[in-house]
Amino acid sequence: MACIRTTGAFVAAISVSMAVVSYFLCNYRSKRKTPLSLSKNKKPGNGLIDAVGKTPLIRINSLSEATGCEILGKCEFLNPGGSVKDRVAVKIIEEALESGQLVCGGVVTEGSAGSTAISLATVAPAYGCKCHVVIPDDVAIEKSQILEALGATVERVRPVSIAHRDHYVNIARRRALEANELASKLRKAEQNDGKHLEQINSYISDGEKKGSVFSSYCNGGFFADQFENLANFRAHYQGTGPEIWEQTSGSLDSFVAAAGTGGTVAGISSFLQEKNPNIKCFLIDPPGSGLFNKVTRGVMYTREEAEGKRLKNPFDTITEGIGINRLTQNFKMAKLDGAFRGTDKEAVEMSRYLLKNDGLFLGSSSAMNCVGAVKVAKSLGPGHTIVTILCDSGMRHLSKFYDAHYLSQHGLTATATGLEFLDIQ
């Protein structure tokens, strides 16, 4: 009976406790005027565009513990379009709309290895615009599949030198001109009571052998020109850089990232060094790129290596979207203290190491950036805070960077058990 009485008392005590908790919880909820998921001072964002930027800065635990430095990664893969390029897409489109170079209903064209194209295709509809993308046919196939799913028109072309008229960037530039010419003809046709519209819609641009890719109505075109358009630089100088400064409370020693267009590394390095000239900014450069030589020696390449002379496209690197053999207007804005070389094997090994030890599923450029962060940590020594960019996730790299057969064909199968590939035991 004593056992029964004890149990009854225990149940009664629990009942009273639950009643008290329920009272205070109900009283608390009745006083809250905002939903539990929202803070009192934070309002919902205004559409997709408000979700771009303000990404978390996280400590990469395994690399920090291995190097004795605080290695922090800016989680740009959490942008709505899945990459750091969302910032660039928004800035390019907004500046073009403000200047009148692009109008609602117009087509944004771009030559891209994938990420910028996906970002443009993601945000363009939010501005009432369409997107036409020209990409090399050797990029991961899932990138063009994503673009088509997003509603963009996609041209896959063979990789050639930038000096060739059929380089994907040069084709994208022509497509914008073609869209503008078509829009002009359509406006003239409308003024003539809509006569000869069929002829106009099959318009063949100068030098092209096929009909216009813009077979339906469009309100002109705008070439985004991510490599040379300084809106790219400004997106990071005005956005990403200040966010990093705020998130670290200005307490960082170094920043490192790879460069494709150069906008990210240029915008962030310029902002950070203006805030504190003692912050060291570095480039990590993949195989086949000439930027390492430019930063460390002042010479981009030999005469034989000049991109204008290279009409073929040799296999240089498995990483996509980084590395280049020419100086862009964006990269010229960078404030760099030095550069490191990274290899494809290091990037592959790093991606698997981070997935296993941190749960970070990163793309090839993100992995290369983390390689750079470790190299900077080794150079500076323990006790420093180093920031890098986690550009995108591995979801766009399944058919190449995360494909075991593809990696085996190029001698890039991951074999490391730790960070021994960077001489850290």
Side-chain angles (χ1 to χ4, degrees):
M1 294 297 292
C3 181
I4 295 174
R5 282 196 297 270
T6 303
T7 303
F10 180 67
V11 170
I14 291 178
S15 298
V16 171
S17 298
M18 290 179 66
V20 171
V21 170
S22 297
Y23 170 78
F24 283 111
L25 183 58
C26 290
N27 190 45
Y28 170 72
R29 284 181 172 173
S30 67
K31 290 181 179 179
R32 278 187 73 101
K33 294 183 179 180
T34 57
L36 287 173
S37 59
L38 297 173
S39 67
K40 292 181 179 179
N41 299 321
K42 190 173 183 179
K43 296 180 180 179
N46 184 21
L48 175 80
I49 304 305
D50 272 6
V52 175
K54 305 179 185 66
T55 54
L57 183 69
I58 65 169
R59 182 180 190 263
I60 304 178
N61 293 328
S62 66
L63 300 185
S64 298
E65 291 160 10
T67 60
C69 290
E70 287 295 293
I71 295 182
L72 310 178
K74 189 91 162 99
C75 296
E76 292 299 297
F77 57 83
L78 294 177
N79 279 303
S83 85
V84 67
K85 296 296 187 178
D86 282 14
R87 298 175 183 266
V88 178
V90 167
K91 193 67 173 173
I92 286 176
I93 290 177
E94 287 188 347
E95 289 193 4
L97 288 169
E98 289 171 6
S99 68
Q101 293 176 284
L102 175 67
V103 297
C104 186
V107 179
V108 181
T109 73
E110 183 58 295
S112 168
S115 289
T116 302
I118 291 171
S119 292
L120 286 168
T122 299
V123 305
Y127 294 101
C129 298
K130 302 175 184 177
C131 188
H132 180 88
V133 179
V134 187
I135 63 174
D137 62 12
D138 62 346
V139 303
I141 187 64
E142 53 267 34
K143 292 186 177 181
S144 62
Q145 291 171 335
I146 292 170
L147 284 164
E148 289 170 351
L150 288 170
T153 53
V154 181
E155 283 186 77
R156 291 174 64 90
V157 300
R158 65 187 180 93
V160 292
S161 164
I162 187 66
H164 197 291
R165 75 183 300 273
D166 288 331
H167 184 276
Y168 59 95
V169 171
N170 296 330
I171 293 176
R173 182 182 288 108
R174 292 204 303 274
R175 292 295 181 243
L177 293 174
E178 179 181 325
N180 283 327
E181 291 174 14
L182 176 58
S184 177
K185 287 181 176 290
L186 287 168
R187 284 192 293 270
K188 290 179 181 177
E190 288 175 356
Q191 293 172 0
N192 293 323
D193 299 323
K195 295 179 180 179
H196 310 301
L197 282 177
E198 290 183 3
Q199 181 180 353
I200 292 167
N201 282 344
S202 62
Y203 165 70
I204 300 177
S205 61
D206 184 34
E208 298 291 341
K209 296 181 179 179
K210 60 180 181 178
S212 170
V213 296
F214 307 109
S215 58
S216 61
Y217 178 82
C218 73
N219 200 12
F222 171 74
F223 175 47
D225 198 13
Q226 60 167 327
F227 288 91
E228 308 301 334
N229 189 337
L230 289 178
N232 185 343
F233 164 84
R234 287 187 287 273
H236 299 291
Y237 179 81
Q238 297 171 4
T240 325
E243 286 177 28
I244 290 172
W245 180 260
E246 181 180 351
Q247 289 169 321
T248 59
S249 299
S251 181
L252 72 157
D253 300 291
S254 181
F255 169 75
V256 60
T261 63
T264 304
V265 72
I268 295 173
S269 65
S270 294
F271 178 85
L272 292 177
Q273 290 206 348
E274 281 184 16
K275 298 296 288 186
N276 181 358
N278 293 322
I279 296 174
K280 302 297 181 184
C281 297
F282 297 96
L283 173 79
I284 177 72
D285 211 29
S289 175
L291 296 179
F292 172 85
N293 285 337
K294 181 62 179 178
V295 174
T296 59
R297 303 171 188 171
V299 179
M300 190 75 176
Y301 37 58
T302 66
R303 183 178 302 174
E304 291 73 26
E305 292 172 328
E307 189 164 359
K309 304 287 185 180
R310 294 172 58 191
L311 295 182
K312 294 183 179 179
N313 190 68
F315 177 85
D316 288 327
T317 178
I318 192 175
T319 60
E320 294 184 356
I322 56 174
I324 196 171
N325 274 312
R326 68 183 191 275
L327 283 180
T328 66
Q329 293 301 315
N330 283 289
F331 187 81
K332 289 177 183 178
M333 304 293 287
K335 307 295 182 184
L336 298 173
D337 296 284
F340 296 87
R341 282 195 185 279
T343 68
D344 282 350
K345 188 64 183 296
E346 289 170 340
V348 171
E349 295 285 10
M350 178 60 78
S351 67
R352 273 59 175 182
Y353 178 85
L354 292 173
L355 184 57
K356 177 182 177 181
N357 292 279
D358 298 90
L360 288 170
F361 182 44
L362 302 177
S364 56
S365 57
S366 301
M368 186 65 80
N369 283 349
C370 290
V371 169
V374 171
K375 293 192 175 193
V376 171
K378 290 175 63 180
S379 174
L380 297 180
H384 294 87
T385 298
I386 300 158
V387 175
T388 193
I389 302 295
L390 306 182
C391 314
D392 68 354
S393 77
M395 293 301 293
R396 299 174 183 176
H397 303 263
L398 299 177
S399 64
K400 292 178 67 175
F401 193 66
Y402 281 97
D403 184 83
H405 179 65
Y406 182 89
L407 294 178
S408 177
Q409 286 182 316
H410 293 92
L412 295 173
T413 301
T415 57
T417 57
L419 289 172
E420 62 268 24
F421 60 94
L422 291 174
D423 297 324
I424 295 179
Q425 301 301 322

